[in-house]
Amino acid sequence: MVTSAMSKVTDALIGAARLASTGQWDPALREELFERHKAVADVLVGDDAARHEAVLDALRQRLERFEKLCFGLSMVHELTPRLLDAISGTGEMLSAPLVAAAIASRGRTSQAVDATELIVTTDQHGGAEPLTDETRVKTTERLKPAIARGEIPVVTGFVAATADGVMTTLGRGGTDYSASIVGAALGADEVWIWTDVDGVMTANPSEVPEARTLAEISYSEASELAYYGAKVLHYKTILPAFRQRIPVRVLNSFNPGHPGTRVTVEGHPSAQGVKAVTSIRGVILVAISGTGMQGIPGIVAKTFDVVAAQQANVLMISQASSENNICFVLSAAEAPRVVAALRTALEFELMRGHIEEIEEQQVAIVAAVGDRMRGAPGIAATVFGALGEAGVNVIAISQGSSERNISLVVTERDAADAVRAIHRAFQLDKMS
Ligand code: ASP
Ligand code: MG
């Protein structure tokens, strides 16, 4: 079992680290964190004095480490990514002993295990990548004997360590990733991710009230959906499991009887081809256009060199075969610096009139996703027919040659209508 921090704890820890780096320290936080976790310990193991005291000891120890790190930080005034990792992983170090004690009080042997003993990563602090072979060796050595004895180890999610033992983290929301890494290292039958929703849905239910939970989707559908804003699964989460063909199940801790969504190699065949529709709001469409762009080589290369140099993530690209316009979509946070850099890099082309303008527009991407769109004729016709009927104007279109995804750029105002129209056209409310 792998556990995350309690809600908002990681944010509070990061906030405290930032504050400490300015020389300030809020002494109330340590007490607050202690009380919050103690309150849970009281409920879970309050009737077992020895166990309760052992948990409180573990909490005190870990909070002391946290306070010392922050204290050091407030002296040196420099928050390095390495130090931030050492601090931000405290939340998981607090919740693991709690969960282990709760399991133990119900009659199973259970022990909190620090993932720094299991998961070996690169030293990219704040978003480290696991080293598969090293992780497998350490994880099996440490956990297999305990599991063979029938014990339930409770592993801290989110945190890991380099080969030298320096603490790292796997990126925000990384606990699901940890679960998948540990599951893969152990060759588990299935990895279960307990979230707060019933699984992956055909659409965002706040946008489409009749959206349904999908019983089974493929890894590639899951990754398309994660990419296009269905925030249920961290996009990297399923990769370690996928490499070993281990199914991942998304379940709801608030509705544990629900079977959730299973992510498998095959996914569930679906007659209609489209399985889900998602949208990303508040993104920026950058369009570079000019009749003089035709046949001038290198504009596309230059453009994406700039994007890469700005380390911006492109959500979608489209170029018409007339070559008079290329457009791509960026996050609102990244767009301004990319556009500024583009104006500089393409100054010559702008001056010569090869490019007439570089425009930005706030838009939404709507994506229809499904493995079995591949080779199925008529899907695009249904999509565009539905949008036409709903009076939605499509600004740009892109379909990757994987044919697993048709992405459309529409105005933000039209996004909800577009999602609903596609959902209706493929009768996704009847999907299971
Ligand atoms: N506690 C970490 C975070 O808030 C990891 C997680 O919740 O999955 O990002
Ligand atoms: Mg979480």
Side-chain angles (χ1 to χ4, degrees):
M1 174 156 188
V2 177
T3 180
S4 158
M6 284 173 68
S7 151
K8 303 284 184 302
V9 168
T10 311
D11 289 333
L13 295 165
I14 293 172
R18 298 236 153 90
L19 193 67
S21 68
T22 68
Q24 287 157 274
W25 168 244
D26 173 12
L29 182 62
R30 174 178 174 169
E31 202 45 39
E32 240 173 74
L33 287 173
F34 180 75
E35 287 305 326
R36 218 179 129 192
H37 288 82
K38 178 180 175 296
V40 177
D42 292 349
V43 174
L44 291 175
V45 295
D47 51 3
D48 181 336
R51 191 162 279 140
H52 187 251
E53 197 41 48
V55 172
L56 298 193
D57 267 351
L59 295 177
R60 282 190 202 101
Q61 233 179 51
R62 288 159 166 80
L63 284 166
E64 189 173 321
R65 172 186 168 279
F66 159 66
E67 198 171 59
K68 278 187 179 148
L69 287 168
C70 284
F71 186 68
L73 183 54
S74 70
M75 308 286 285
V76 296
H77 285 227
E78 194 199 350
L79 182 53
T80 60
R82 176 173 169 158
L83 193 44
L84 184 59
D85 272 356
I87 293 172
S88 64
T90 305
E92 278 71 11
M93 293 163 69
L94 295 171
S95 55
L98 273 183
V99 177
I103 293 172
S105 74
R106 279 150 188 78
R108 295 286 294 265
T109 309
S110 180
Q111 209 187 70
V113 178
D114 215 317
T116 52
E117 293 179 52
L118 311 177
I119 302 176
V120 185
T121 66
T122 60
D123 64 358
Q124 280 164 282
H125 288 281
E129 283 303 324
L131 304 174
T132 312
D133 293 338
E134 289 86 334
T135 299
R136 188 183 318 110
V137 171
K138 283 195 129 181
T139 304
T140 44
E141 267 176 13
R142 178 74 173 80
L143 296 187
K144 275 257 161 98
I147 293 170
R149 289 193 298 270
E151 297 174 14
I152 303 178
V154 178
V155 176
T156 54
F158 183 49
V159 303
T162 64
D164 299 334
V166 177
M167 192 161 153
T168 55
T169 62
L170 301 169
R172 293 306 308 272
T175 295
D176 297 350
Y177 194 26
S178 306
S180 176
I181 293 166
V182 171
L186 292 173
D189 296 330
E190 244 180 56
V191 173
W192 292 2
I193 307 220
W194 291 93
T195 62
D196 53 4
V197 291
D198 285 338
V200 179
M201 301 189 75
T202 53
N204 181 345
S206 66
E207 210 161 59
V208 184
E210 64 273 24
R212 297 272 300 254
T213 302
L214 290 156
E216 192 165 332
I217 58 175
S218 71
Y219 292 108
S220 55
E221 286 167 343
S223 75
E224 296 276 0
L225 288 170
Y227 191 69
Y228 284 98
K231 287 282 170 262
V232 180
L233 281 173
H234 192 280
Y235 77 105
K236 285 191 299 197
T237 300
I238 48 176
L239 266 182
F242 168 59
R243 287 200 194 102
Q244 302 199 36
R245 305 291 187 262
I246 299 172
V248 174
R249 198 184 279 274
V250 181
L251 295 150
N252 188 354
S253 12
F254 298 104
N255 186 14
H258 195 286
T261 300
R262 222 165 150 247
V263 186
T264 60
V265 176
E266 279 300 307
H268 204 276
S270 129
Q272 290 102 338
V274 171
K275 271 202 169 158
V277 200
T278 59
S279 68
I280 323 180
R281 309 293 181 88
V283 289
I284 306 292
L285 178 76
V286 180
I288 301 179
S289 52
T291 43
M293 280 166 64
Q294 230 168 56
I296 306 248
I299 292 187
V300 173
K302 257 193 190 170
T303 300
F304 290 105
D305 275 351
V306 169
V307 174
Q310 293 295 322
Q311 299 194 335
N313 181 28
V314 179
L315 297 168
M316 173 181 154
I317 305 175
S318 164
Q319 178 187 320
S321 61
S322 73
E323 299 174 42
N324 288 343
N325 173 296
I326 43 175
C327 63
F328 52 93
V329 179
L330 301 171
S331 75
E334 294 174 333
R337 65 169 203 275
V338 172
V339 170
L342 278 172
R343 288 195 202 283
T344 311
L346 297 171
E347 201 178 2
F348 175 77
E349 288 81 356
L350 280 161
M351 206 176 68
R352 293 291 297 267
H354 294 157
I355 296 176
E356 272 144 34
E357 48 196 350
I358 302 177
E359 288 167 302
E360 297 165 71
Q361 184 185 353
Q362 180 153 322
V363 294
I365 298 179
V366 171
V369 171
D371 276 356
R372 287 182 175 70
M373 285 163 59
R374 195 188 177 101
I379 303 247
T382 307
V383 168
F384 292 110
L387 294 178
E389 251 169 61
V392 171
N393 175 41
V394 178
I395 302 170
I397 307 165
S398 159
Q399 176 186 299
S401 59
S402 75
E403 297 181 46
R404 293 194 169 107
N405 173 330
I406 299 179
S407 304
L408 316 153
V409 174
V410 299
T411 63
E412 291 212 282
R413 196 162 34 84
D414 280 344
D417 284 343
V419 170
R420 280 193 285 267
I422 297 170
H423 200 271
R424 217 177 306 119
F426 288 95
Q427 302 190 321
L428 297 185
D429 58 325
K430 301 197 177 69
M431 179 78 88
S432 64

